């Protein structure tokens, strides 16, 4: 499904947001702006359309391996808005804020591999993709969602 701005008048720095189900898409509000939803509708859905005006902007540079950053913003209708930007890599290796060294990268890889193995993710995803390719459903994303929503304790081969 695609939503296109066909006509209208609006001010500068406006943002279009369209929500269908739990999926949201954003675009600068301008002529011919489009937002796409790649999944097919599987029945009636509510669509919500919002138009927002940008009231504040702050640009920061984020470097790989950089520690947490606090951003304080001021703007029309708000003040002292404080955002904490956290490096997600820190969460994967116990909160280390240090640079991305070879040792740290190895630890991140090991943690990821252990997580994948613990939940048997490789096998589950392989089984799911094989089933999608074999059955070729009209809505592959809905099919995969149903597959993944199956019983958590079931063996992937029994799904």
């Amino acid at each position: 499904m695609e939503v296109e701005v066909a006509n209208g008048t609006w001010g500068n720095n406006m943002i279009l947001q369209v929500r269908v189900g739990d999926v949201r898409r954003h675009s600068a509000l301008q002529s011919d702006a489009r937002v796409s939803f790649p999944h097919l509708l599987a029945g009636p859905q509510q669509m919500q359309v919002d138009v927002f005006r940008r009231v504040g902007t702050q640009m920061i540079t984020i470097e790989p391996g950089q520690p947490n950053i606090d951003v304080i913003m001021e703007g029309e209708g708000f003040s002292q808005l404080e955002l904490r930007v956290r490096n997600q890599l820190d969460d994967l290796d116990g909160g280390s804020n240090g640079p991305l060294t070879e040792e740290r990268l190895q630890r991140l890889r090991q943690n990821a591999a252990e997580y994948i193995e613990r939940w048997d993710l490789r096998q589950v995803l392989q089984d799911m993709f094989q089933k999608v390719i074999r059955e070729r459903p009209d809505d592959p994303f809905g099919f995969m969602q149903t597959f993944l929503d199956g019983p958590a304790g079931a063996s992937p081969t029994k799904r």
Side-chain angles (χ1 to χ4, degrees):
M1 180 177 82
E2 181 178 85
V3 178
E4 177 183 2
V5 175
N7 197 2
T9 58
W10 49 83
N12 294 331
N13 296 321
M14 305 290 282
I15 299 169
L16 173 69
Q17 173 184 279
V18 180
R19 178 177 163 220
V20 177
D22 293 330
V23 179
R24 296 173 193 252
R25 298 284 187 258
H26 301 86
S27 174
L29 183 54
Q30 59 193 26
S31 296
D32 298 327
R34 297 167 192 241
V35 291
S36 297
F37 296 84
H39 61 283
L40 298 174
L41 296 179
Q45 291 271 337
Q46 291 290 316
M47 181 171 82
Q48 178 178 331
V49 179
D50 295 305
V51 176
F52 301 104
R53 179 183 306 276
R54 183 178 320 170
V55 296
T57 299
Q58 175 129 356
M59 299 293 290
I60 62 172
T61 301
I62 301 172
E63 300 287 340
Q66 183 175 5
N68 298 341
I69 304 167
D70 288 340
V71 179
I72 299 177
M73 293 181 61
E74 302 280 337
E76 181 183 323
F78 65 94
S79 65
Q80 296 297 311
L81 172 63
E82 184 174 341
L83 305 174
R84 179 153 299 126
V85 181
R86 225 173 31 155
N87 188 339
Q88 290 181 328
L89 290 177
D90 297 339
D91 295 338
L92 298 175
D93 69 347
S96 168
N97 285 335
L100 193 57
T101 63
E102 188 60 39
E103 178 183 323
R104 184 171 176 213
L105 187 57
Q106 184 61 33
R107 191 169 55 242
L108 288 167
R109 287 179 181 143
Q110 182 64 35
N111 287 347
E114 288 171 4
Y115 183 83
I116 290 168
E117 182 67 27
R118 179 173 29 144
W119 292 100
D120 200 22
L121 295 177
R122 246 186 217 101
Q123 187 63 51
V124 170
L125 292 175
Q126 181 179 357
D127 290 349
M128 179 183 67
F129 285 128
Q130 286 176 349
K131 195 167 185 173
V132 167
I133 291 167
R134 189 171 46 250
E135 297 188 22
R136 298 186 187 274
D138 290 335
D139 178 10
F141 296 105
F143 183 90
M144 289 187 288
Q145 185 173 2
T146 300
F147 180 91
L148 292 172
D149 284 342
S155 131
T157 56
K158 294 180 182 176
R159 289 179 187 251

